[in-house]
Amino acid sequence: MPATKGEPMSNSLTTPGIVAGRLHPEDYTRHFDDLYPDYAAHEAMVAADRCYFCHDAPCITACPTDIDIPLFIRQIQAGQPDAAGKTIFDQNILGGMCARVCPTETLCEGACVREAAEGKPVEIGRLQRYATDTLIARNAHPYTRAAPTGKRVAVVGAGPAGLACAHRLALHGHDVTVFDARTKPGGLNEYGIAAYKAAHGFAQAEVDWLLQIGGVTLRQGWALGRDGSLADLQADHDAVFLGIGLAGVNALGLADDTAPGARDAVEFIAELRQAPDLSTLPIGRHVVVIGGGMTAVDAAVQSRLLGAEHVTMVYRRGRDAMGASDHELSHAANEGVKIITHAMPVAIHANGSLREVEFAYTHPGETGLEPTGETFRLQADQLFKAIGQTLDGAPDALTLAGRKLAADAEGRTSLPGIWAGGDCTGDGEDLTVTAVAQGRDAAESIHAALMGAGA
Amino acid sequence: MANLTSNFIGIKSPNPYWLASAPPTDKAYNVERAFKAGWGGVVWKTLGAEGPPVVNVNGPRYGAIWGADRRLLGLNNIELITDRPLEVNLREIKQVKRDWPDRAMVVSLMVPCDEESWKAILARVEETEADGVELNFGCPHGMSERGMGSAVGQVPEYIEMVTRWVKQHSRMPCIVKLTPNIADIRKPAEAAMRGGADAVSLINTINSITSVNLDTFSPEPMIDGKGAHGGYCGPAVKPIALNMVSEIARSPDTQGLPISGIGGVTTWRDAAEFLTLGAGNVQVCTAAMTYGFGIIKELTAGLSQYMDEKGFSSIDQLVGRAVPNVTDWQYLNLNYVAKAKINQDLCISCGRCFAACEDTSHQAISMSPDRKFEVIDEECVACNLCVNVCPVQDCITMEAMPKGAVDPRTGEPVRDYANWTMHPNNPMAKAAE
């Protein structure tokens, strides 16, 4: 946490209100650097040596993209981390980012037999990062495009699902145009996760590397609905893949929840990720984050890292119901975030600007969560709302399943010629790795449809 | 507390750990450091004949193989015998022996294969008042190309001849160091015994190339693009050494011939194993070269604790204790039946036992959809591969079946001892009664 060296600060941890420059300049660099630096070669060898090369390994089963984990670890052991990287990319072209953001404790590492045996799994995530970083650093794309098919596919959304889909389609020789509403490609990798998880511009470096496959045109600043319709895309393309994510955010439904100082966590995270100089980014002295998912954690931890003195994360249910993993929550606690569970916001007290947020303790009742009657107030200069994102801007013609786009196992939507994947579909945890799997599988389905009989 | 004092062919030392003839014993400086650390004795690095000193390469003399965390598993060397003047070595040997009278001081020798050369050097060594000599018939590299070292050790007649000269021209105890680079270790041991050797020591190093550089296509260790085989030692060679020691210990032709055990001794446990297989003491080199002389504290304390726990009060009580249990395959009990047993509480479901058994053995382990692994007694031949590949110690064990119980694999009851010499399938079998 903040050190007290270097140049004098313009402000300090105790400056009231929402102000920039609470830290010394060098502290920003330190705080937002790589959370877990890459392995050195010897460390990787020692870590790889712990893998038992299990028969029909549980870690593979636990990976949404079915990476042959024992094989890639054995390739590291055998001194070919770049070959290990290829093994990973064969299944997951965004394996570099997944190595950084996957909740491995609930996926591969949670299934590792050494987790069961000793509580110390093989560090699969870090080994994956070592392998993928090694191959990406060579800056030689390991795949060659198939001969052009003459087919054109539109991919909407340059996030993990869209990029995985675009790469696999391009690999098969199709011409792909990726339409994306933001200035830069990457989706949540670029705009939606904590900076220390993708330090040193990794999200853009990964996209650049991925696009070396060729045959993919990026069209940034193009929003579905605003700049063109689904029908427009269908008119110009043989197939369309929608990886539009969840552009909407849930509201608290309280009076004054748009008071100055109250904002959506996703917006704060995006602003932070794009800030050229973090010392110019204002942050409150007292910050309250409402929510229990990864977005809430990323907002809370980064508030602390920007110099907020008191950061409290409040979730209406118990810890076991939180979307954030134990690992993430421990990290937040280590960084000094206070975590309060079983409490829901009932009032926002503002006086021109935000003053306090009032919460009621909850318990499970007959009609869901009910207030216990006991309330408390948290002082707050700044409030980040992280209570979930929603589908927004999806074409009306598509059938929904619950609150998301309906799609089958191959990603086919209710309309012929339209596929979808990633956070805008499904009912899962909205993981990056799941989005990659869905984008990849939809690309295979599109490829089969375009190249099949009668196509 | 157990008494670690050693008396090996009349040479006394405070413990049974000697440093083997090698770089750690090349000069007074190292040997004094070893004695200060607590080593029981040394075999001074091999002296050659009077004359221009031996020369060594000026590039890598050692190569190695390692475990994943750079644990050194095997070492190879192409260093020759001492490259210091004979006079200097002899002067230092005499001085060190005077300063450390309670430690064993044995001098390793290697001179051309003629009686005069041996006679000459023996006279010089005797003047140092060293406790004995060790004849280096083992070094497999360099000197062997000049008709010495393993070139002698590979011809039993030469061993016998030279040993006889040594005993004839010296009153010092004589240990003959054997090379493992031969077909039957008992033959050179018998030759040494015939020649009058007081003991044999083994093993010297094994011919080896540690690796090949796949960029330059040079064997390692590499000197200016070329490599020559070296001598292999360290933990990797211990099983080979244990077998050779036991072969000599249990052979009727060499019965009672004292043995100094060498080959991969790294911890007290290795030393104890050599002693039980018939070695009267042990010599150590690679472990000291890897970790320094400080390991002697663990070597002595560990052996002492083990002996206390087992109720042994002196080294002699341990020596040869396992020899009666080393036998030939033909005398193993073919009616002994065991079955693998998997402790489900310890099992971590890695499936290595299953892969090993299913792919490469007897298909005697089943795997359920929820990753439970169980032994199929009807198929298990107790080969022990599952035990060896299991990453969890004691998770899989071999359980002997009691006499009279029916082996589900054969349908036959477990019977009394019977070996191959009595087996009906053996055309040479003698009738059981």
Side-chain angles (χ1 to χ4, degrees):
Chain A
M1 281 312 293
T4 51
K5 55 181 180 185
E7 298 167 31
M9 299 173 283
S10 51
N11 287 302
S12 74
L13 299 181
T14 54
T15 307
I18 306 175
V19 299
R22 291 184 181 275
L23 307 177
H24 293 282
E26 70 267 26
D27 288 336
Y28 290 98
T29 310
R30 193 164 53 82
H31 288 184
F32 290 90
D33 202 356
D34 234 345
L35 185 55
Y36 301 106
D38 205 359
Y39 277 138
H42 179 76
E43 273 183 299
M45 293 296 265
V46 175
D49 192 54
R50 295 188 69 236
C51 174
Y52 289 149
F53 205 78
C54 292
H55 175 75
D56 193 13
C59 54
I60 305 178
T61 312
C63 175
T65 54
D66 298 302
I67 293 169
D68 191 339
I69 294 164
L71 173 62
F72 95 67
I73 294 179
R74 189 174 162 81
Q75 288 173 307
I76 292 173
Q77 287 172 6
Q80 294 183 319
D82 44 355
K86 175 82 163 35
T87 297
I88 294 161
F89 291 130
D90 284 349
Q91 291 296 113
N92 180 337
I93 199 67
L94 279 88
M97 185 59 85
C98 288
R100 289 162 165 81
V101 303
C102 261
T104 52
E105 70 180 87
T106 59
L107 300 173
C108 53
E109 292 179 18
C112 178
V113 298
R114 299 200 76 157
E115 168 63 26
E118 310 152 50
K120 279 163 67 177
V122 175
E123 292 191 316
I124 299 167
R126 292 189 72 187
L127 285 164
Q128 175 163 325
R129 173 161 170 197
Y130 174 70
T132 51
D133 280 8
T134 301
L135 185 50
I136 289 177
R138 285 176 52 165
N139 207 30
H141 197 72
Y143 300 98
T144 308
R145 242 190 126 192
T149 61
K151 304 289 184 186
R152 292 157 52 84
V153 183
V155 169
V156 185
L163 289 171
C165 184
H167 185 273
R168 185 59 66 98
L169 287 167
L171 186 70
H172 286 313
H174 308 300
D175 287 320
V176 184
T177 304
V178 179
F179 298 88
D180 188 84
R182 299 268 201 176
T183 313
K184 292 191 210 165
L188 292 180
N189 290 353
E190 176 60 35
Y191 293 94
I193 56 171
Y196 49 78
K197 291 179 185 170
H200 308 296
F202 181 74
Q204 289 312 300
E206 183 176 51
V207 173
D208 293 344
W209 173 85
L210 180 151
L211 292 177
Q212 288 177 17
I213 185 71
V216 180
T217 306
L218 284 185
R219 202 152 155 209
Q220 297 300 139
W222 188 98
L224 185 62
R226 185 189 74 195
D227 300 304
S229 67
L230 192 55
D232 295 336
L233 293 176
Q234 284 187 286
D236 292 341
H237 299 86
D238 299 292
V240 177
F241 174 82
L242 299 176
I244 56 177
L246 300 173
V249 286
N250 290 325
L252 290 175
L254 298 174
D256 277 337
D257 78 352
T258 54
R263 65 192 298 208
D264 293 316
V266 289
E267 187 187 290
F268 164 65
I269 292 168
E271 184 185 352
L272 189 153
R273 283 293 302 276
Q274 301 308 312
D277 178 2
L278 291 170
S279 70
T280 64
L281 204 63
I283 192 73
R285 180 181 178 190
H286 299 274
V287 174
V288 172
V289 180
I290 298 175
M294 294 290 197
T295 302
V297 170
D298 284 357
V301 170
Q302 293 190 113
S303 295
R304 281 286 291 155
L305 297 177
L306 283 173
E309 188 184 9
H310 300 286
V311 178
T312 312
M313 199 176 131
V314 189
Y315 181 58
R316 61 193 173 134
R317 301 180 194 276
R319 187 151 172 160
D320 54 344
M322 285 179 150
S325 65
D326 283 345
H327 176 81
E328 293 283 339
L329 293 171
S330 300
H331 176 229
N334 270 343
E335 291 294 353
V337 174
K338 183 180 179 185
I339 299 169
I340 296 175
T341 58
H342 300 285
M344 58 195 256
V346 291
I348 290 170
H349 301 284
N351 177 15
S353 60
L354 199 59
R355 288 281 178 268
E356 287 177 326
V357 184
E358 185 171 345
F359 293 88
Y361 281 113
T362 64
H363 65 100
E366 284 175 14
T367 56
L369 282 183
E370 293 173 359
T372 62
E374 187 183 348
T375 62
F376 64 94
R377 291 180 176 207
L378 293 176
Q379 193 177 347
D381 311 307
Q382 208 165 17
L383 168 66
F384 294 127
K385 297 169 281 184
I387 55 170
Q389 285 109 267
T390 53
L391 188 63
D392 187 36
D396 294 336
L398 292 169
T399 305
L400 298 185
R403 301 169 67 190
K404 295 189 175 184
L405 294 180
D408 67 10
E410 292 184 20
R412 286 180 292 228
T413 67
S414 56
L415 289 181
I418 313 287
W419 281 256
D423 291 357
C424 64
T425 64
D427 51 6
E429 297 177 76
D430 297 341
L431 299 176
T432 307
V433 65
T434 309
V436 172
Q438 290 167 346
R440 175 198 71 192
D441 295 346
E444 291 296 345
S445 178
I446 293 168
H447 176 63
L450 296 184
M451 306 309 284
Chain B
M1 184 140 156
N3 178 8
L4 292 189
T5 307
S6 166
N7 182 346
F8 186 74
I9 59 169
I11 303 173
K12 295 188 175 65
S13 58
N15 62 57
Y17 295 103
W18 294 0
L19 283 166
S21 168
T25 60
D26 191 30
K27 54 188 182 295
Y29 182 83
N30 305 69
V31 173
E32 282 171 350
R33 281 180 66 84
F35 286 164
K36 278 178 199 154
W39 288 84
V42 298
V43 180
W44 199 277
K45 185 172 164 80
T46 308
L47 309 184
E50 185 94 66
V54 157
V55 293
N56 267 302
V57 294
N58 296 297
R61 300 176 190 189
Y62 305 109
I65 62 166
W66 301 271
D69 205 4
R70 291 286 286 190
R71 174 179 280 265
L72 191 142
L73 302 174
L75 188 71
N76 134 321
N77 85 87
I78 55 167
E79 184 172 288
L80 302 185
I81 62 174
T82 186
D83 53 13
R84 306 190 319 144
L86 178 62
E87 196 57 48
V88 175
N89 275 309
L90 291 169
R91 194 169 62 235
E92 289 184 4
I93 289 167
K94 186 167 188 166
Q95 186 61 50
V96 175
K97 180 61 197 177
R98 264 195 194 164
D99 294 345
W100 298 86
D102 68 324
R103 309 302 169 94
M105 172 66 78
V106 175
V107 180
S108 175
L109 300 175
M110 183 196 287
V111 293
C113 218
D114 61 77
E115 190 169 358
E116 279 314 303
S117 297
W118 283 96
K119 191 178 171 184
I121 189 107
L122 285 163
R124 306 290 301 276
V125 174
E126 271 193 357
E127 288 168 13
T128 67
E129 296 173 41
D131 297 303
V133 291
E134 183 181 80
L135 314 188
N136 181 345
F137 297 156
C139 265
H141 51 271
M143 302 309 284
S144 56
E145 297 169 14
R146 307 173 201 176
M148 291 179 271
S150 64
V152 177
Q154 285 167 335
V155 184
E157 291 76 12
Y158 292 173
I159 294 175
E160 182 179 345
M161 176 179 74
V162 177
T163 308
R164 208 178 292 283
W165 292 338
V166 171
K167 289 310 289 180
Q168 199 175 326
H169 296 297
S170 163
R171 54 172 179 73
M172 290 183 287
C174 165
I175 304 167
V176 173
K177 187 165 181 177
L178 305 181
T179 176
N181 300 306
I182 43 103
D184 184 348
I185 197 66
R186 292 172 298 186
K187 301 302 172 195
E190 289 163 17
M193 202 172 174
R194 282 195 303 273
D198 297 285
V200 289
S201 57
L202 69 156
I203 57 173
N204 206 309
T205 56
I206 304 172
N207 289 343
S208 61
I209 290 172
T210 50
S211 60
V212 176
N213 183 315
L214 292 177
D215 296 318
T216 62
F217 302 102
S218 315
E220 303 281 5
M222 179 270 282
I223 302 290
D224 194 22
K226 307 283 185 189
H229 79 259
Y232 198 45
C233 54
V237 310
K238 189 186 97 175
I240 296 163
L242 285 178
N243 175 59
M244 289 185 165
V245 165
S246 79
E247 287 292 288
I248 294 169
R250 75 190 183 95
S251 167
D253 296 328
T254 46
Q255 200 155 28
L257 178 65
I259 303 168
S260 184
I262 312 169
V265 173
T266 308
T267 70
W268 69 268
R269 181 177 291 274
D270 303 321
E273 289 174 11
F274 271 98
L275 296 176
T276 63
L277 284 176
N281 74 358
V282 293
Q283 297 184 31
V284 180
C285 175
T286 308
M289 292 184 73
T290 309
Y291 303 108
F293 291 142
I295 59 167
I296 189 62
K297 293 183 183 68
E298 171 270 313
L299 291 170
T300 50
L303 186 59
S304 179
Q305 181 182 326
Y306 166 76
M307 288 170 62
D308 286 346
E309 285 166 1
K310 290 290 177 187
F312 299 124
S313 54
S314 73
I315 296 289
D316 292 348
Q317 294 168 1
L318 195 53
V319 174
R321 207 151 181 110
V323 174
N325 294 328
V326 183
T327 186
D328 296 339
W329 191 96
Q330 63 181 330
Y331 300 121
L332 297 176
N333 183 4
L334 294 175
N335 284 338
Y336 174 85
V337 180
K339 297 289 173 189
K341 193 162 186 290
I342 301 175
N343 181 329
Q344 296 297 337
D345 292 335
L346 293 177
C347 178
I348 60 171
S349 296
C350 69
R352 279 169 71 156
C353 59
F354 175 81
C357 194
E358 192 71 8
D359 287 354
T360 72
S361 291
H362 295 82
Q363 296 77 48
I365 294 178
S366 67
M367 175 180 177
S368 72
D370 62 343
R371 300 187 70 81
K372 185 172 183 188
F373 298 91
E374 290 178 293
V375 176
I376 304 164
D377 285 348
E378 289 76 8
E379 304 295 338
C380 178
V381 302
C383 73
N384 211 41
L385 181 63
C386 55
V387 171
N388 293 334
V389 303
C390 178
V392 181
Q393 200 171 348
D394 299 329
C395 174
I396 309 181
T397 48
M398 282 296 155
E399 307 289 328
M401 293 184 68
K403 202 169 292 173
V406 175
D407 178 355
R409 186 176 70 87
T410 59
E412 298 288 327
V414 177
R415 300 180 210 277
D416 289 335
Y417 172 90
N419 64 44
W420 174 244
T421 66
M422 315 163 178
H423 199 277
N425 290 13
N426 179 358
M428 311 292 284
K430 302 169 206 129
E433 309 296 328

